Amino acid sequence: MDPKSQKVKLNDGHFIPVLGFGTYAPPEAAKREALEITKFAIEVGFRHIDCAHVYENEEQVGQAIRSKIADGTVKREDIFYTSKLWLTSLRPELVQPALEKSLKTLQLDYVDLYIIHIPVALKPGEELFPKDENGKLIFDSVDLCLTWEALEKCKDAGLAKSIGVSNFNHKQLEKILNKPGLKYKPVCNQVECHPYLNQSKLLDFCKSHDIVFVAFGALGSQRVKEWVNLNHPVLLEDPVLSAIAQKHKQTPALVALRYQIQRGVVVLTKSFNKKRVKENMQPCVYSWWFSPPDVTTGELAWLERLMAGQKTEILTPGHPSAPALSSLLMH
């Protein structure tokens, strides 16, 4: 089975590849790395590329896409490109200019998917993280329903083929879904999701409203000391996951990916290691199934467990949108 051909239909009729390549890199990573690894990801078969304004590497990612179009590896319509609306541009009058800025940086005519990165507004301006004299983030007051209407206009203008959200909880999704005059439902909700954080209730809610669930951090939370407790266990080193992988002659990463795909989840993988990037696009991720007698009841129970405290906590807990303020950047 060719992984490139595996797609899920969105509620607006477009299709999203089941496996995506995430392009976030820590600040110390050279921008050129994003260019080279994105080109390599496309070469080994990834057709779903996930990026964002806040990653500050859309120029390099766009260059990678255009170079693989130019050399005949892909056509533009083969690539599903996602960008994200940053928190300082949630005021409705700032939405389309923000998307146009990303398109200019990418040198692309449209994005396949444009999503609200986080349902929290920050003070507009050039600073990505505006802070006051005490070093605290400066929040803004924005009605996300109005932000959503601005995204709908971007879709109508042909700047984005599909529109969606990220890091929304079910109440925030309901606010959009119940908005009077709603023209387009969000096609997806992108959130952190892995065997330590299976998000089963939110997944069920999204499925019930025909919203595709997209998982970032599918191989575990990013190990950055400022964002996550480094004493928490490392998913890919989990002994049970390793035992399941060994039993099925797979790697722990492929077991974690298979787990999500079997649940109907679109999965983003992220690595700047070429060996791992290639491994994550192996056809074997589709060629086996978690079901008896292949997998025991105990193994399935482990894969479904929800371990508390695995999410990262970044922004001010007192903010009204705090339930969604988790693992906000590393995706």
Side-chain angles (χ1 to χ4, degrees):
M1 187 177 291
D2 183 359
K4 296 193 296 295
S5 66
Q6 303 307 302
K7 298 180 180 181
V8 171
K9 189 174 184 179
L10 300 171
N11 62 40
D12 64 357
H14 294 295
F15 289 83
I16 183 171
V18 167
L19 278 177
F21 180 72
T23 59
Y24 171 81
E28 62 270 17
K31 292 289 189 287
R32 183 162 183 80
E33 289 185 52
L35 168 62
E36 296 304 324
I37 201 65
T38 304
K39 286 167 63 176
F40 181 77
I42 295 172
E43 289 167 3
V44 300
F46 280 96
R47 298 293 180 261
H48 175 181
I49 307 297
D50 182 271
C51 197
H53 170 69
V54 74
Y55 300 171
E56 299 185 273
N57 60 7
E58 282 197 303
E59 179 181 353
Q60 291 74 27
V61 172
Q63 186 179 345
I65 292 171
R66 288 182 285 104
S67 71
K68 300 321 295 178
I69 293 173
D71 72 10
T73 301
V74 292
K75 298 177 181 178
R76 173 62 185 93
E77 57 267 29
D78 297 329
I79 295 293
F80 188 99
Y81 180 81
T82 298
S83 187
K84 305 182 185 78
L85 177 67
W86 185 236
L87 286 60
T88 53
S89 298
L90 294 190
R91 292 185 184 181
E93 68 272 16
L94 300 178
V95 172
Q96 185 164 325
L99 176 51
E100 290 173 341
K101 182 177 180 180
S102 279
L103 289 171
K104 184 177 180 180
T105 300
L106 292 158
Q107 295 186 45
L108 297 177
D109 295 328
Y110 65 90
V111 297
D112 296 273
L113 176 62
Y114 198 49
I115 61 180
I116 298 175
H117 202 147
I118 305 165
V120 177
L122 295 179
K123 177 185 175 183
E126 292 302 312
E127 290 183 86
L128 293 173
F129 299 95
K131 296 179 180 178
D132 61 20
E133 62 274 11
N134 297 315
K136 293 186 177 180
L137 289 169
I138 304 174
F139 294 101
D140 194 22
S141 180
V142 176
D143 183 346
L144 289 176
C145 287
L146 298 179
T147 305
W148 186 254
E149 289 178 3
L151 261 75
E152 291 179 324
K153 292 177 181 177
C154 290
K155 178 175 169 66
D156 285 337
L159 301 177
K161 292 203 169 185
S162 299
I163 51 177
V165 299
S166 179
N167 294 297
F168 273 51
N169 59 35
H170 80 278
K171 290 184 178 180
Q172 291 158 337
L173 281 168
E174 283 180 333
K175 185 176 180 181
I176 301 296
L177 293 170
N178 295 331
K179 186 187 80 66
L182 179 69
K183 189 170 186 179
Y184 304 115
K185 290 199 304 184
V187 299
C188 73
N189 186 21
Q190 185 183 126
V191 300
E192 181 184 359
C193 184
H194 46 76
Y196 282 170
L197 184 66
N198 67 42
Q199 301 274 24
S200 57
K201 290 183 179 179
L202 185 56
L203 172 60
D204 289 343
F205 177 87
C206 288
K207 284 184 175 180
S208 71
H209 291 277
D210 197 19
I211 296 171
V212 169
F213 201 85
V214 181
F216 70 86
L219 303 181
S221 298
Q222 183 105 358
R223 309 296 291 185
V224 180
K225 65 180 180 180
E226 290 83 6
W227 307 81
V228 68
N229 186 340
L230 297 182
N231 292 320
H232 286 163
V234 178
L235 175 64
L236 295 184
E237 296 175 3
D238 187 285
V240 180
L241 180 62
S242 297
I244 295 173
Q246 185 174 12
K247 173 181 176 181
H248 296 282
K249 297 181 174 59
Q250 307 292 342
T251 65
L254 288 177
V255 172
L257 295 179
R258 173 71 256 184
Y259 161 77
Q260 297 290 13
I261 291 169
Q262 184 164 325
R263 301 169 79 213
V265 172
V266 170
V267 186
L268 300 178
T269 68
K270 180 175 68 231
S271 177
F272 274 48
N273 178 299
K274 287 187 175 182
K275 180 177 180 293
R276 291 174 186 159
V277 171
K278 187 174 182 179
E279 173 189 290
N280 292 338
M281 184 41 79
Q282 294 303 304
C284 60
V285 75
Y286 298 103
S287 63
W288 58 293
W289 199 254
F290 283 126
S291 61
D294 300 321
V295 176
T296 68
T297 302
E299 288 171 345
L300 281 172
W302 178 86
L303 287 168
E304 287 297 334
R305 76 182 180 179
L306 173 60
M307 292 180 64
Q310 297 302 312
K311 293 181 80 175
T312 56
E313 298 295 342
I314 300 173
L315 298 182
T316 307
H319 189 279
S321 296
L325 302 185
S326 304
S327 298
L328 301 180
L329 291 183
M330 276 76 73
H331 73 289

